[in-house]
């Protein structure tokens, strides 16, 4: 049995994750005066974590219903 999160909950988790990681990156970069390349690498790592969770079907985003096709 796979662990799956419902689409609306997945959207909320991804949104909170994106905001939290951006806050963390900006705070870390301003406190330690790191190079922009390190910030980009950190950002890519954070995106890869979300991408893997979506590919494993743990997160099931539907982009808050924006990409649903209309059935006639």
């Amino acid at each position: 049995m796979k662990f799956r999160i419902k689409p609306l909950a997945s959207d909320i988790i991804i949104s909170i994750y994106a905001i939290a990681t951006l806050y963390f990156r900006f705070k870390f970069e301003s406190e330690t005066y790191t190079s922009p390349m390190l910030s980009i690498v950190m950002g890519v790592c954070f995106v890869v974590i979300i991408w893997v969770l979506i590919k494993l079907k743990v997160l099931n985003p539907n982009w808050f219903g924006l990409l649903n096709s209309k059935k006639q």
Side-chain angles (χ1 to χ4, degrees), residues 11-72:
D11 291 340
I12 293 170
I13 289 170
I14 291 171
S15 299
I16 291 171
Y17 180 82
I19 292 168
T21 56
L22 280 173
Y23 172 76
F24 172 73
R25 282 177 56 203
F26 290 140
K27 186 171 175 66
F28 177 74
E29 193 173 316
S30 68
E31 288 178 358
T32 59
Y33 305 107
T34 60
S35 69
M37 190 58 134
L38 179 62
S39 179
I40 291 171
V41 169
M42 271 190 341
V44 168
C45 290
F46 288 139
V47 169
V48 167
I49 291 170
I50 287 292
W51 180 76
V52 167
L53 289 174
I54 291 172
K55 285 296 179 185
L56 291 175
K57 302 284 186 196
V58 173
L59 294 175
N60 301 303
N62 71 351
W63 310 107
F64 295 104
L66 294 175
L67 297 179
N68 288 343
S69 61
K70 295 181 180 180
K71 296 180 181 178
Q72 294 182 3

